[in-house]
Coordinates of all heavy atoms in Angstrom, one line a residue:
S449 N 2.1 45.1 -88.1 CA 2.9 45.5 -89.3 C 3.6 46.8 -89.0 O 3.2 47.6 -88.1 CB 2.0 45.7 -90.5 OG 1.0 46.7 -90.3
A450 N 4.7 47.1 -89.8 CA 5.4 48.4 -89.5 C 4.8 49.6 -90.2 O 5.2 50.7 -89.8 CB 6.9 48.2 -90.0
D451 N 3.9 49.4 -91.1 CA 3.3 50.5 -91.8 C 2.2 51.1 -90.9 O 1.8 50.5 -89.9 CB 2.7 50.1 -93.2 CG 1.6 49.1 -93.0 OD1 1.5 48.4 -92.0 OD2 0.7 49.1 -93.9
P452 N 1.7 52.3 -91.3 CA 0.7 52.9 -90.4 C -0.6 52.2 -90.2 O -1.4 52.5 -89.3 CB 0.5 54.3 -91.1 CG 1.7 54.5 -91.9 CD 2.2 53.1 -92.4
S453 N -0.8 51.1 -91.0 CA -2.1 50.4 -90.8 C -2.1 49.6 -89.6 O -3.1 49.2 -89.1 CB -2.3 49.5 -92.0 OG -1.4 48.4 -92.0
M454 N -0.8 49.3 -89.0 CA -0.7 48.5 -87.8 C -1.5 47.2 -87.8 O -2.2 46.9 -86.9 CB -1.1 49.4 -86.6 CG -0.3 50.6 -86.4 SD -1.1 51.8 -85.2 CE -1.2 50.8 -83.8
T455 N -1.4 46.5 -88.9 CA -2.2 45.3 -89.1 C -1.6 44.2 -88.3 O -0.4 44.0 -88.2 CB -2.2 44.9 -90.6 OG1 -2.7 46.0 -91.4 CG2 -3.0 43.6 -90.8
H456 N -2.5 43.4 -87.6 CA -2.1 42.3 -86.8 C -1.6 41.1 -87.7 O -2.5 40.6 -88.4 CB -3.3 41.9 -85.9 CG -3.1 40.7 -85.1 ND1 -4.1 40.0 -84.5 CD2 -2.0 39.9 -84.8 CE1 -3.7 38.9 -83.9 NE2 -2.4 38.8 -84.1
L457 N -0.3 40.8 -87.7 CA 0.2 39.8 -88.6 C 0.7 38.5 -87.9 O 1.0 37.5 -88.6 CB 1.4 40.4 -89.4 CG 1.1 41.6 -90.2 CD1 2.4 42.1 -90.9 CD2 0.1 41.3 -91.3
L458 N 0.8 38.5 -86.6 CA 1.3 37.3 -85.9 C 0.8 37.3 -84.5 O 0.8 38.3 -83.8 CB 2.8 37.2 -85.9 CG 3.5 36.1 -85.1 CD1 3.2 34.8 -85.8 CD2 5.0 36.3 -85.0
T459 N 0.3 36.1 -84.0 CA -0.2 36.0 -82.7 C 0.7 35.1 -81.9 O 1.1 34.0 -82.3 CB -1.7 35.4 -82.7 OG1 -2.5 36.1 -83.6 CG2 -2.3 35.5 -81.3
L460 N 1.0 35.5 -80.7 CA 1.8 34.8 -79.7 C 1.0 34.5 -78.5 O 0.6 35.4 -77.8 CB 3.1 35.5 -79.4 CG 3.9 36.0 -80.5 CD1 5.1 36.8 -80.0 CD2 4.5 34.8 -81.4
Y461 N 0.7 33.2 -78.3 CA 0.0 32.7 -77.1 C 1.0 32.2 -76.0 O 1.9 31.5 -76.3 CB -1.0 31.6 -77.4 CG -2.1 32.0 -78.3 CD1 -2.0 31.7 -79.7 CD2 -3.3 32.6 -77.8 CE1 -3.1 32.1 -80.5 CE2 -4.3 32.9 -78.7 CZ -4.2 32.7 -80.0 OH -5.3 33.0 -80.8
F462 N 0.7 32.6 -74.8 CA 1.5 32.1 -73.6 C 0.6 31.5 -72.6 O -0.4 32.1 -72.2 CB 2.3 33.3 -73.0 CG 3.2 34.0 -74.0 CD1 2.7 35.0 -74.8 CD2 4.5 33.7 -74.1 CE1 3.5 35.7 -75.7 CE2 5.3 34.3 -75.0 CZ 4.8 35.3 -75.8
L463 N 1.0 30.3 -72.1 CA 0.2 29.6 -71.1 C 1.0 29.1 -70.0 O 2.2 28.8 -70.2 CB -0.6 28.4 -71.8 CG -1.7 28.8 -72.7 CD1 -1.2 28.7 -74.2 CD2 -2.9 27.9 -72.6
D464 N 0.4 28.9 -68.8 CA 1.1 28.3 -67.7 C 0.7 26.9 -67.6 O -0.4 26.5 -67.4 CB 0.6 29.1 -66.4 CG 1.3 28.5 -65.1 OD1 2.2 27.7 -65.3 OD2 1.0 29.0 -64.1
S465 N 1.7 26.0 -67.9 CA 1.4 24.6 -67.8 C 1.5 24.0 -66.4 O 1.4 22.8 -66.3 CB 2.5 23.8 -68.7 OG 3.8 24.1 -68.3
G466 N 1.6 24.8 -65.4 CA 1.5 24.4 -64.0 C 2.8 23.8 -63.5 O 3.9 23.9 -64.1
S467 N 2.8 23.3 -62.3 CA 4.0 22.7 -61.7 C 3.7 21.2 -61.4 O 4.1 20.3 -62.2 CB 4.3 23.5 -60.4 OG 3.2 23.5 -59.5
Y468 N 3.1 20.9 -60.3 CA 2.8 19.5 -59.9 C 1.4 19.3 -59.5 O 0.7 20.2 -58.9 CB 3.7 19.1 -58.7 CG 5.2 19.3 -59.0 CD1 5.9 20.4 -58.5 CD2 5.9 18.5 -59.9 CE1 7.2 20.6 -58.7 CE2 7.2 18.7 -60.1 CZ 7.9 19.7 -59.6 OH 9.2 20.0 -59.8
S469 N 0.8 18.2 -59.8 CA -0.6 17.9 -59.5 C -0.7 17.0 -58.3 O -1.7 16.9 -57.7 CB -1.3 17.3 -60.7 OG -0.6 16.0 -61.1
K470 N 0.4 16.2 -58.0 CA 0.3 15.3 -56.9 C 1.7 15.3 -56.2 O 2.7 15.7 -56.7 CB 0.0 13.9 -57.4 CG -1.3 13.7 -58.0 CD -1.5 12.2 -58.4 CE -2.9 12.0 -59.1 NZ -3.0 10.6 -59.5
G471 N 1.7 14.9 -54.9 CA 2.9 14.8 -54.1 C 2.6 14.5 -52.7 O 1.4 14.4 -52.3
F472 N 3.6 14.5 -51.9 CA 3.4 14.2 -50.4 C 4.5 15.0 -49.7 O 5.5 15.4 -50.2 CB 3.5 12.7 -50.1 CG 4.8 12.1 -50.4 CD1 5.8 12.0 -49.5 CD2 5.1 11.6 -51.7 CE1 7.1 11.5 -49.8 CE2 6.3 11.0 -52.0 CZ 7.3 11.0 -51.0
F473 N 4.2 15.2 -48.4 CA 5.2 15.9 -47.5 C 6.0 14.8 -46.8 O 5.4 13.9 -46.1 CB 4.5 16.8 -46.5 CG 3.9 18.0 -47.1 CD1 2.6 18.0 -47.6 CD2 4.7 19.1 -47.3 CE1 2.1 19.1 -48.2 CE2 4.2 20.3 -47.9 CZ 2.8 20.3 -48.4
N474 N 7.3 14.9 -46.9 CA 8.2 13.9 -46.2 C 8.3 14.2 -44.7 O 7.7 15.1 -44.2 CB 9.6 13.8 -46.9 CG 10.3 15.2 -46.8 OD1 10.0 16.0 -45.9 ND2 11.3 15.3 -47.7
F475 N 9.2 13.4 -44.0 CA 9.3 13.5 -42.6 C 9.7 14.9 -42.2 O 9.4 15.4 -41.1 CB 10.3 12.5 -42.1 CG 10.6 12.6 -40.6 CD1 9.8 12.0 -39.7 CD2 11.8 13.2 -40.2 CE1 10.0 12.1 -38.4 CE2 12.1 13.2 -38.8 CZ 11.2 12.7 -37.9
W476 N 10.5 15.6 -43.0 CA 11.0 17.0 -42.7 C 10.1 18.1 -43.1 O 10.4 19.2 -43.0 CB 12.4 17.2 -43.3 CG 13.4 16.1 -43.0 CD1 13.8 15.1 -43.8 CD2 14.0 15.9 -41.7 NE1 14.7 14.3 -43.1 CE2 14.9 14.8 -41.8 CE3 14.0 16.7 -40.5 CZ2 15.7 14.4 -40.8 CZ3 14.8 16.2 -39.5 CH2 15.6 15.1 -39.6
G477 N 8.9 17.7 -43.6 CA 7.9 18.7 -44.0 C 8.2 19.3 -45.4 O 7.5 20.2 -45.8
M478 N 9.1 18.6 -46.2 CA 9.3 19.1 -47.5 C 8.4 18.4 -48.5 O 8.2 17.2 -48.4 CB 10.8 18.8 -47.9 CG 11.8 19.5 -47.0 SD 11.8 21.3 -47.1 CE 12.4 21.5 -48.7
F479 N 7.9 19.2 -49.5 CA 7.0 18.6 -50.5 C 7.8 17.8 -51.5 O 8.7 18.3 -52.1 CB 6.2 19.7 -51.1 CG 5.2 19.2 -52.2 CD1 4.0 18.6 -51.8 CD2 5.5 19.3 -53.5 CE1 3.1 18.1 -52.7 CE2 4.6 18.9 -54.5 CZ 3.4 18.3 -54.1
T480 N 7.4 16.6 -51.7 CA 8.0 15.7 -52.7 C 7.0 15.4 -53.8 O 6.0 14.7 -53.6 CB 8.4 14.4 -52.1 OG1 9.3 14.6 -51.0 CG2 9.1 13.5 -53.2
P481 N 7.2 16.0 -55.0 CA 6.2 15.8 -56.1 C 6.2 14.4 -56.7 O 7.3 13.8 -56.7 CB 6.6 16.9 -57.1 CG 8.0 17.1 -56.9 CD 8.3 16.9 -55.4
T482 N 5.1 14.0 -57.1 CA 5.0 12.6 -57.8 C 4.4 12.7 -59.2 O 4.4 11.7 -59.9 CB 4.2 11.7 -56.9 OG1 2.9 12.2 -56.7 CG2 4.9 11.4 -55.6
A483 N 3.8 13.8 -59.5 CA 3.1 13.9 -60.9 C 3.1 15.4 -61.3 O 2.9 16.3 -60.5 CB 1.7 13.4 -60.8
Y484 N 3.4 15.6 -62.6 CA 3.3 16.9 -63.2 C 1.9 17.4 -63.4 O 1.0 16.6 -63.6 CB 4.1 16.9 -64.6 CG 5.6 16.7 -64.5 CD1 6.2 15.7 -65.2 CD2 6.3 17.5 -63.7 CE1 7.6 15.6 -65.2 CE2 7.7 17.4 -63.6 CZ 8.3 16.4 -64.3 OH 9.7 16.2 -64.3
D485 N 1.8 18.7 -63.5 CA 0.5 19.3 -63.8 C 0.3 19.3 -65.3 O 1.2 18.9 -66.1 CB 0.5 20.7 -63.2 CG -0.9 21.2 -62.9 OD1 -1.9 20.6 -63.4 OD2 -1.1 22.2 -62.2
W486 N -0.9 19.8 -65.8 CA -1.1 19.8 -67.2 C -2.1 21.0 -67.5 O -2.6 21.7 -66.6 CB -1.8 18.5 -67.6 CG -3.1 18.3 -67.0 CD1 -4.4 18.6 -67.5 CD2 -3.4 17.6 -65.8 NE1 -5.4 18.2 -66.7 CE2 -4.8 17.6 -65.6 CE3 -2.6 17.0 -64.8 CZ2 -5.4 17.0 -64.5 CZ3 -3.2 16.5 -63.7 CH2 -4.6 16.4 -63.5
L487 N -2.2 21.3 -68.8 CA -3.1 22.4 -69.2 C -4.6 22.0 -69.0 O -5.0 20.9 -69.5 CB -2.9 22.8 -70.7 CG -1.5 23.4 -71.0 CD1 -1.2 23.4 -72.5 CD2 -1.4 24.8 -70.3
R488 N -5.3 22.8 -68.3 CA -6.7 22.4 -67.8 C -7.7 22.9 -68.8 O -7.5 23.7 -69.7 CB -6.9 23.0 -66.4 CG -5.9 22.6 -65.4 CD -5.7 21.1 -65.2 NE -4.8 20.7 -64.2 CZ -5.1 20.4 -63.0 NH1 -6.4 20.3 -62.6 NH2 -4.2 20.0 -62.1
Q489 N -9.0 22.4 -68.5 CA -10.1 22.7 -69.4 C -10.4 24.2 -69.5 O -10.7 24.7 -70.5 CB -11.3 21.9 -68.9 CG -12.6 22.1 -69.8 CD -12.4 21.6 -71.2 OE1 -11.9 20.5 -71.4 NE2 -12.8 22.4 -72.2
D490 N -10.3 24.9 -68.4 CA -10.5 26.3 -68.4 C -9.5 27.1 -69.3 O -9.9 28.1 -69.9 CB -10.6 26.9 -67.0 CG -9.3 26.8 -66.2 OD1 -8.4 26.1 -66.7 OD2 -9.2 27.4 -65.1
Q491 N -8.3 26.6 -69.4 CA -7.3 27.2 -70.3 C -7.6 26.9 -71.7 O -7.4 27.7 -72.6 CB -5.9 26.7 -69.9 CG -5.4 27.2 -68.6 CD -4.1 26.5 -68.2 OE1 -4.1 25.3 -67.9 NE2 -3.0 27.3 -68.1
I492 N -8.2 25.7 -72.0 CA -8.7 25.3 -73.3 C -9.8 26.3 -73.7 O -9.8 26.9 -74.9 CB -9.2 23.9 -73.4 CG1 -8.0 22.9 -73.1 CG2 -9.8 23.6 -74.7 CD1 -8.5 21.5 -73.0
D493 N -10.7 26.5 -72.9 CA -11.9 27.4 -73.2 C -11.4 28.8 -73.4 O -11.8 29.5 -74.3 CB -12.9 27.4 -72.0 CG -13.5 26.0 -71.8 OD1 -13.5 25.2 -72.8 OD2 -14.0 25.7 -70.7
W494 N -10.4 29.3 -72.6 CA -9.9 30.6 -72.7 C -9.2 30.8 -74.1 O -9.4 31.8 -74.8 CB -8.9 30.9 -71.6 CG -8.1 32.2 -71.8 CD1 -8.5 33.5 -71.5 CD2 -6.7 32.2 -72.3 NE1 -7.4 34.3 -71.9 CE2 -6.4 33.6 -72.3 CE3 -5.8 31.3 -72.7 CZ2 -5.1 34.0 -72.8 CZ3 -4.6 31.7 -73.2 CH2 -4.3 33.1 -73.2
F495 N -8.4 29.8 -74.4 CA -7.7 29.9 -75.7 C -8.6 30.0 -76.9 O -8.5 30.8 -77.8 CB -6.7 28.7 -75.9 CG -6.3 28.5 -77.3 CD1 -5.4 29.4 -77.9 CD2 -6.7 27.4 -78.0 CE1 -5.0 29.2 -79.2 CE2 -6.3 27.2 -79.3 CZ -5.4 28.1 -79.9
L496 N -9.7 29.1 -76.8 CA -10.6 29.2 -77.9 C -11.4 30.5 -78.0 O -11.7 31.0 -79.1 CB -11.6 28.0 -77.8 CG -11.0 26.6 -77.9 CD1 -12.1 25.5 -77.6 CD2 -10.5 26.4 -79.3
R497 N -11.6 31.1 -76.9 CA -12.3 32.4 -76.9 C -11.3 33.5 -77.5 O -11.7 34.3 -78.3 CB -12.7 32.8 -75.5 CG -13.9 32.1 -74.9 CD -14.4 32.8 -73.7 NE -13.5 32.9 -72.6 CZ -13.2 32.0 -71.7 NH1 -13.9 30.9 -71.6 NH2 -12.3 32.3 -70.7
E498 N -10.1 33.4 -77.1 CA -9.1 34.4 -77.6 C -8.9 34.2 -79.1 O -8.8 35.2 -79.9 CB -7.7 34.2 -76.9 CG -7.7 34.7 -75.4 CD -7.9 36.2 -75.3 OE1 -7.5 36.9 -76.2 OE2 -8.5 36.6 -74.3
S499 N -8.8 33.0 -79.5 CA -8.7 32.7 -80.9 C -9.9 33.2 -81.7 O -9.7 33.8 -82.8 CB -8.5 31.2 -81.2 OG -8.5 30.9 -82.5
A500 N -11.1 33.0 -81.2 CA -12.3 33.4 -81.9 C -12.4 34.9 -82.0 O -13.1 35.5 -82.9 CB -13.5 32.9 -81.2
S501 N -11.7 35.6 -81.1 CA -11.8 37.1 -81.1 C -10.8 37.8 -82.1 O -10.9 39.0 -82.3 CB -11.5 37.6 -79.7 OG -10.1 37.4 -79.4
I502 N -10.0 37.0 -82.7 CA -9.0 37.5 -83.6 C -9.6 37.7 -85.0 O -10.2 36.8 -85.6 CB -7.7 36.6 -83.7 CG1 -7.0 36.7 -82.3 CG2 -6.8 37.1 -84.8 CD1 -5.8 35.8 -82.2
N503 N -9.5 38.9 -85.6 CA -10.1 39.2 -86.9 C -9.2 38.6 -88.0 O -8.0 38.5 -87.9 CB -10.1 40.7 -87.1 CG -11.1 41.4 -86.2 OD1 -12.1 40.8 -85.8 ND2 -10.8 42.6 -85.7
M504 N -9.9 38.1 -89.0 CA -9.2 37.7 -90.2 C -8.7 38.9 -91.0 O -9.3 39.9 -91.0 CB -10.1 36.8 -91.1 CG -10.5 35.5 -90.4 SD -11.4 34.4 -91.5 CE -12.9 35.3 -91.7
I505 N -7.6 38.6 -91.7 CA -7.0 39.7 -92.6 C -6.8 39.1 -94.0 O -6.9 37.9 -94.2 CB -5.6 40.1 -92.0 CG1 -4.6 39.0 -92.0 CG2 -5.8 40.8 -90.6 CD1 -3.2 39.4 -91.6
E506 N -6.5 40.0 -94.9 CA -6.2 39.6 -96.3 C -4.8 39.1 -96.3 O -3.9 39.8 -96.0 CB -6.4 40.7 -97.2 CG -6.3 40.2 -98.7 CD -6.5 41.4 -99.7 OE1 -6.5 42.5 -99.2 OE2 -6.6 41.1 -100.9
R507 N -4.6 37.8 -96.6 CA -3.3 37.2 -96.7 C -3.0 36.7 -98.1 O -3.9 36.2 -98.7 CB -3.2 36.0 -95.7 CG -3.3 36.5 -94.2 CD -3.3 35.3 -93.3 NE -2.2 34.4 -93.5 CZ -2.1 33.2 -92.9 NH1 -3.0 32.9 -91.9 NH2 -1.1 32.4 -93.1
P508 N -1.8 36.8 -98.6 CA -0.6 37.5 -97.9 C -0.9 39.0 -97.8 O -1.6 39.6 -98.6 CB 0.5 37.2 -98.8 CG 0.1 36.1 -99.7 CD -1.4 36.2 -99.8
F509 N -0.2 39.5 -96.7 CA -0.4 41.0 -96.4 C 0.4 41.8 -97.4 O 1.5 41.5 -97.7 CB 0.1 41.2 -95.0 CG 0.1 42.6 -94.6 CD1 -1.0 43.4 -94.3 CD2 1.4 43.3 -94.5 CE1 -0.9 44.7 -94.0 CE2 1.4 44.6 -94.1 CZ 0.3 45.3 -93.9
T510 N -0.2 43.0 -97.8 CA 0.5 44.0 -98.6 C 0.6 45.2 -97.8 O -0.4 45.8 -97.3 CB -0.3 44.2 -99.9 OG1 -0.4 43.0 -100.6 CG2 0.4 45.3 -100.7
P511 N 1.8 45.8 -97.5 CA 1.9 47.0 -96.7 C 1.2 48.1 -97.3 O 1.0 48.2 -98.6 CB 3.4 47.2 -96.7 CG 4.1 45.9 -97.0 CD 3.1 45.2 -97.9
D512 N 0.8 49.1 -96.5 CA 0.1 50.3 -97.0 C 1.1 51.2 -97.6 O 1.7 52.1 -97.0 CB -0.6 51.0 -95.8 CG -1.5 52.1 -96.2 OD1 -1.5 52.4 -97.4 OD2 -2.2 52.6 -95.3
G513 N 1.2 51.1 -99.0 CA 2.2 51.9 -99.7 C 1.8 53.4 -99.8 O 2.6 54.2 -100.1
A514 N 0.5 53.7 -99.6 CA 0.1 55.0 -99.7 C 0.5 55.9 -98.5 O 0.5 57.1 -98.6 CB -1.4 55.1 -99.8

Side-chain angles (χ1 to χ4, degrees):
S449 64
D451 67 334
S453 71
M454 299 167 58
T455 303
H456 172 195
L457 299 180
L458 177 68
T459 309
L460 305 176
Y461 293 99
F462 302 85
L463 291 98
D464 183 3
S465 57
S467 54
Y468 304 105
S469 60
K470 295 179 182 179
F472 63 91
F473 289 92
N474 61 21
F475 177 79
W476 304 106
M478 302 294 291
F479 181 76
T480 303
T482 58
Y484 290 127
D485 207 346
W486 64 91
L487 294 170
R488 305 302 183 101
Q489 182 63 46
D490 60 352
Q491 292 172 292
I492 295 173
D493 297 337
W494 168 81
F495 164 70
L496 292 175
R497 288 195 302 270
E498 290 293 330
S499 175
S501 69
I502 293 175
N503 294 326
M504 292 189 293
I505 61 172
E506 186 179 14
R507 292 176 52 186
F509 171 75
T510 302
D512 188 353

